[in-house]
Amino acid sequence: MEKNYSNYDLDNLDVQILSILMEDASIPYTEIAKKLIVSGGTIHVRMKKMEELGIIRGSNLIINPQKVGFDITAFLGIYLEKGSQYSDAVEQLRQVKEVVELHYCTGQYSMFAKIICKDTSHLRKVLNEDIQGLKGIQRTETIISLEESIKRQITL
Amino acid sequence: MEKNYSNYDLDNLDVQILSILMEDASIPYTEIAKKLIVSGGTIHVRMKKMEELGIIRGSNLIINPQKVGFDITAFLGIYLEKGSQYSDAVEQLRQVKEVVELHYCTGQYSMFAKIICKDTSHLRKVLNEDIQGLKGIQRTETIISLEESIKRQITL
DNA sequence: GTTGAAAAGTGCTGCGA
DNA sequence: TCGCAGCACTTTTCAAC
């Protein structure tokens, strides 16, 4: 399905289509077509091309975590005992459902995670029981987000 | 539009609908209905209710940043000169398009940002020219992500 | 590559249980 | 409150430019 172009040149039309749908994926093709003064069929062809190229990963329904009782976002700097334990640690952290992002990174931490929990006691449980005990993890540093002021995708 | 229930009890059906659409918002209601053994109309009613309650924020087209030439993800710990400059700093950072997330947080940093850039020279430009010079920002620490191993939404 | 329209499928609304 | 059926709208396809 996904063709092997590492970097495809998007033209202006592609970028404008993506920009619109990145903000709201439910906007109909026909409406985009009107706005960009092309036919609906063209939007469809472009989208199909970009899907095949792997530029489009899919679409997500975005929910408000706070409304469903998930109130705490935290970042976790993770120190591994040895760098070689990285892939092991990834697999273990993948089992922890509260981990929504995990990065292998430069700087003081070996890995860096973003986790979302229901409340402080849930966070404590995840840190103490689910993460601190994992094989290869030496220690962690926690940064708690009190407010998410900006949340968006890149501007093309 | 949005009713003022701070926390509404979702039943099992609501949670299952959300779980499916959070992974792929393009799945038709009729298919969800078949999977959960209810009618399409019921899915529609539940979705409308959750939209009115503000549980659903919308939907995004997810693109692969690397395929469009954005190759570097970095996290930025930001030290402010005074905590009171927070809202000022938020507004300034909102103008920097490369900043995709910004948190006000506990711990050593006053604020914590996630930024996505095209390459190392783009990152350097954003750090040196767009961010370091902003009023109220004392200094920053950069963590560069070499690999994003996990990227998902919360599991309800 | 793009267009325009026809065909297929989906979302929405109202009635009935 | 839920399910069913008809209508409106969208996506998809395709021949022609």
Side-chain angles (χ1 to χ4, degrees), chain B residues 38-39 41-42 46:
Chain B
V38 292
S39 78
T42 301
R46 298 303 189 100

Side-chain angles (χ1 to χ4, degrees), chain B residues 12-69:
Chain B
N12 233 325
L13 182 59
D14 293 324
V15 169
Q16 289 185 65
I17 294 169
L18 286 181
S19 299
I20 291 170
L21 290 174
M22 277 162 66
E23 284 181 19
D24 184 352
S26 70
I27 294 176
Y29 286 5
T30 50
E31 196 177 316
I32 299 171
K34 255 190 294 179
K35 200 175 290 184
L36 303 180
I37 318 176
V38 292
S39 78
T42 301
I43 306 289
H44 182 253
V45 170
R46 298 303 189 100
M47 286 294 289
K48 197 176 163 191
K49 182 193 67 184
M50 291 191 283
E51 278 167 17
E52 283 172 357
L53 289 170
I55 290 165
I56 295 172
R57 253 188 200 170
S59 59
N60 284 136
L61 192 74
I62 306 302
I63 66 154
N64 186 341
Q66 287 173 18
K67 289 270 180 178
V68 289

Side-chain angles (χ1 to χ4, degrees), chain B residues 114-126:
Chain B
K114 179 179 180 179
I115 66 184
I116 299 184
C117 293
K118 292 184 181 177
D119 48 38
T120 50
S121 82
H122 183 197
L123 175 63
R124 196 185 54 232
K125 178 198 159 289
V126 171

Side-chain angles (χ1 to χ4, degrees), chain B residues 96-125:
Chain B
V96 181
K97 296 302 181 197
E98 289 83 358
V99 174
V100 295
E101 272 185 49
L102 182 66
H103 299 262
Y104 181 56
C105 56
T106 67
Q108 50 181 328
Y109 309 121
S110 312
M111 296 194 301
F112 198 70
K114 179 179 180 179
I115 66 184
I116 299 184
C117 293
K118 292 184 181 177
D119 48 38
T120 50
S121 82
H122 183 197
L123 175 63
R124 196 185 54 232
K125 178 198 159 289

